[in-house]
């Protein structure tokens, strides 16, 4: 039985205003920059919510979590750094204005988020872990794994193998809400680690999955 429900996801940024403008257009969401320096993107469904958080640290390594997006063409991304060649893959990889990698799939789908992609040491194990924690249908494919039909999420989460280990805090993470009757101790028993408890500054608990990927846990409303 799933322990948590997907809530939303967050992007770290050194330039929130630029990130809000770019990602609201790319994801087809409405953005707003708050007085606290952070921004929020919203769609028709609360599960589409994206928080853009101002952080002091700059991007130094390839992101271990990135976004795949649907687009009608590559034209909206002209002027960005293109990281893969034309026709090299079924997708085209770009760097956003802050250098964060993302992949564009040109297709007939409504422009917006397609998948969240996670680099993994053991894609079978970590996809199974998140499938158990979040719910959804786990598929171990040809060289990667993914979770579909995640409750309260309009996208899949893909786990792809990479040789390099995680070295810095992820610049993309997701937030979850504890399901009724579930406690933080249940997540710890399942293999998660508490990185920061709720305190006077935050109303959530920061945890990490078995591969060290950070996620934030909120109590049920």
């Amino acid at each position: 039985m799933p322990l948590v429900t997907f809530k939303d996801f967050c992007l770290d940024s050194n330039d929130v205003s630029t990130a809000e403008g770019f990602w609201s257009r790319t994801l087809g969401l409405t953005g707003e920059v708050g007085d606290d320096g952070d921004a929020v993107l919203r769609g028709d469904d609360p599960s589409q919510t994206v928080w853009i958080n101002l952080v002091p640290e700059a991007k130094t390594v390839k992101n271990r979590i990135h976004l795949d997006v649907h687009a009608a063409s590559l034209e909206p991304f002209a002027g960005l750094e293109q990281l893969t060649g034309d026709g090299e893959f079924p997708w085209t990889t770009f760097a956003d204005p802050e250098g964060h990698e993302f992949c564009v799939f040109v297709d007939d789908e409504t422009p917006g988020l397609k998948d969240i992609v996670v680099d993994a040491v053991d894609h079978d194990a970590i996809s199974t872990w998140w499938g158990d924690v979040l719910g959804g249908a786990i598929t171990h494919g040809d060289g990667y794994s993914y979770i579909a039909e995640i409750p309260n999420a309009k996208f899949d989460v893909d786990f792809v193998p990479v040789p390099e280990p995680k070295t810095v805090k992820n610049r993309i993470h997701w937030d979850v809400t504890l399901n009724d009757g579930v406690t933080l101790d249940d997540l710890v028993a399942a293999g998660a680690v508490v990185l920061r408890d709720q305190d006077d500054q935050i109303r959530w608990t920061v945890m990490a999955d078995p591969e060290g990927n950070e996620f934030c846990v909120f109590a049920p409303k």
Side-chain angles (χ1 to χ4, degrees):
M1 184 172 183
L3 300 180
V4 301
T5 298
F6 175 81
K7 180 177 179 289
D8 46 41
F9 70 91
C10 305
L11 309 175
D12 286 353
S13 174
N14 303 126
D15 184 348
V16 169
S17 179
T18 298
E20 180 273 324
F22 175 79
W23 284 108
S24 62
R25 293 190 302 272
T26 300
L27 299 177
L29 303 174
T30 300
E32 177 184 358
V33 178
D35 295 336
D36 59 359
D38 293 340
V40 61
L41 313 181
R42 302 186 191 277
D44 296 332
D45 190 292
S47 67
Q48 294 176 288
T49 302
V50 179
W51 295 93
I52 300 177
N53 299 326
L54 180 65
V55 297
E57 61 272 13
K59 180 181 185 293
T60 57
V61 299
K62 171 180 167 288
N63 286 354
R64 288 185 74 83
I65 300 179
H66 73 265
L67 306 183
D68 287 352
V69 301
H70 297 291
S73 74
L74 296 181
E75 184 176 350
F77 311 104
L80 294 177
E81 181 183 5
Q82 185 172 323
L83 303 178
T84 58
D86 292 339
E88 184 177 356
F89 301 106
W91 60 86
T92 306
T93 305
F94 291 92
D96 79 358
E98 292 190 67
H100 301 123
E101 303 85 2
F102 68 101
C103 296
V104 179
F105 289 74
V106 175
D107 52 35
D108 295 329
E109 299 288 337
T110 302
L113 181 62
K114 177 181 181 292
D115 305 305
I116 295 179
V117 183
V118 184
D119 288 355
V121 174
D122 185 339
H123 65 90
D124 284 340
I126 197 63
S127 62
T128 298
W129 192 84
W130 274 108
D132 291 341
V133 169
L134 276 175
I138 307 166
T139 298
H140 300 301
D142 184 14
Y144 76 105
S145 300
Y146 65 94
I147 310 171
E149 302 173 17
I150 300 169
N152 203 47
K154 293 182 176 296
F155 53 83
D156 296 347
V157 179
D158 302 340
F159 297 86
V160 298
V162 296
E164 66 272 9
K166 181 178 184 290
T167 57
V168 298
K169 178 174 79 73
N170 289 337
R171 293 180 76 84
I172 297 178
H173 72 269
W174 51 80
D175 297 339
V176 299
T177 302
L178 290 172
N179 288 336
D180 290 340
V182 177
T183 68
L184 295 174
D185 289 340
D186 294 321
L187 282 171
V188 172
V193 175
V194 175
L195 300 179
R196 180 179 175 181
D197 286 312
Q198 182 178 346
D199 55 34
D200 292 339
Q201 294 181 313
I202 60 172
R203 58 186 179 87
W204 54 85
T205 302
V206 183
M207 305 189 78
D209 71 13
E211 289 205 1
N213 299 303
E214 301 85 2
F215 64 102
C216 295
V217 183
F218 289 73
K221 291 185 178 179

